[in-house]
């Protein structure tokens, strides 16, 4: 007797770049599909008002699915936008490590590689367990007693000179071993994610 296919009961989180008008129609279609197929989902509270305003989500439904803790309430987060949106979503997730699936609405999707036409198929594959989570290296930083707005990064940290100041002298060491001294406008320290993005950006 053939084994029955495995289907996980998942809660899909939905977020996106509210500065892009292109996100609303595919998010609306996704919500309709999830409702019709009886799947559970939650929506980042920052995009709920616009969904209600555009008639893509009923106000009573919005109050039930809206959340300010997307990374806690969802098993996987669908991030609509480009790579910048996915980086913002990664910061929203932080140490909770909720998987993120980037839905590309731009021209080049390096991190956000799923096309919106593939959404329904992707949801079926997620529930069937036909996916793998790709773990990415991150960087952490501290600067003495100086407060940093972000202490970790998925892509890169940049040290740069302020305004028209002269070149910086930057001594770099790795694990206590001197690497080099740079005279430069600044220094970029990138993860493989960030360095690949820079390489793509310059062709």
């Amino acid at each position: 007797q053939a084994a029955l296919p495995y289907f996980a009961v998942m809660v899909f989180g939905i977020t996106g770049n509210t500065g892009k008008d292109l996100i609303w129609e595919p998010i609306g279609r996704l919500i309709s599909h999830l409702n019709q197929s009886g799947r559970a989902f939650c929506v980042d509270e920052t995009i709920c008002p616009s969904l209600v305003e555009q008639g893509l989500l009923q106000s009573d439904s919005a109050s039930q699915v809206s959340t300010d803790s997307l990374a806690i309430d969802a098993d996987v987060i669908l991030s609509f936008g480009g790579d910048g949106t996915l980086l913002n979503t990664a910061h929203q997730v932080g140490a909770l490590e909720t998987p993120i699936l980037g839905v590309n609405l731009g021209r080049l999707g390096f991190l956000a590689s799923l096309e919106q036409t593939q959404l329904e198929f992707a949801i079926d594959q997620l529930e069937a367990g036909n996916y793998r989570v790709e773990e990415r290296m991150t960087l952490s930083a501290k600067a003495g007693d100086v407060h940093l707005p972000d202490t970790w990064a998925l892509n890169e940290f940049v040290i740069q000179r302020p305004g028209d100041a002269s070149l910086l002298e930057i001594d770099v060491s790795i694990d206590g071993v001197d690497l080099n001294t740079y005279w430069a406008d600044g220094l970029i320290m990138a993860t493989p994610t960030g360095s690949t993005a820079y390489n793509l950006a310059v062709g």
Side-chain angles (χ1 to χ4, degrees):
Q1 182 178 353
L4 293 174
Y6 169 77
F7 289 96
V9 176
M10 302 185 83
V11 177
F12 297 94
I14 302 170
T15 190
N17 182 351
T18 56
K20 291 192 173 184
D21 291 335
L22 293 174
I23 74 167
W24 305 116
E25 194 270 334
I27 288 180
R29 275 193 287 111
L30 173 62
I31 288 173
S32 177
H33 175 70
L34 294 174
N35 276 326
Q36 289 175 8
S37 56
R39 291 177 167 104
F41 66 94
C42 54
V43 180
D44 189 351
E45 65 176 3
T46 60
I47 67 173
C48 269
S50 293
L51 289 169
V52 171
E53 187 179 305
Q54 298 187 41
L56 300 171
L57 190 61
Q58 299 299 318
S59 56
D60 55 341
S61 299
S63 63
Q64 295 172 24
V65 300
S66 176
T67 179
D68 62 353
S69 303
L70 202 63
I72 294 174
D73 297 334
D75 295 307
V76 61
I77 298 174
L78 301 170
S79 176
F80 287 76
D83 290 347
T85 306
L86 195 141
L87 290 171
N88 288 334
T89 305
H91 274 275
Q92 190 177 355
V93 168
L96 293 171
E97 299 185 357
T98 308
I100 304 167
L101 181 58
V103 182
N104 181 34
L105 300 178
R107 288 169 297 195
L108 173 64
F110 165 53
L111 297 173
S113 58
L114 182 72
E115 299 300 327
Q116 53 182 297
T117 55
Q118 301 170 312
L119 265 172
E120 293 182 15
F121 175 75
I123 286 169
D124 290 340
Q125 295 302 302
L126 286 167
E127 289 190 324
N130 295 329
Y131 67 92
R132 64 182 174 84
V133 176
E134 182 179 11
E135 296 186 353
R136 297 282 178 127
M137 175 192 296
T138 59
L139 297 173
S140 62
K142 60 182 179 180
D145 295 329
V146 178
H147 171 72
L148 297 175
D150 289 309
T151 56
W152 71 273
L154 176 60
N155 48 357
E156 82 279 315
F157 277 105
V158 178
I159 298 171
Q160 65 185 48
R161 63 179 183 163
D164 295 327
S166 59
L167 295 179
L168 299 175
E169 180 181 353
I170 306 170
D171 296 319
V172 179
S173 62
I174 299 175
D175 293 333
V177 179
D178 289 339
L179 174 66
N180 204 353
T181 297
Y182 297 98
W183 286 89
D185 294 327
L187 183 68
I188 298 172
M189 293 154 289
T191 64
T193 300
S195 62
T196 306
Y198 276 115
N199 282 308
L200 284 172
V202 298

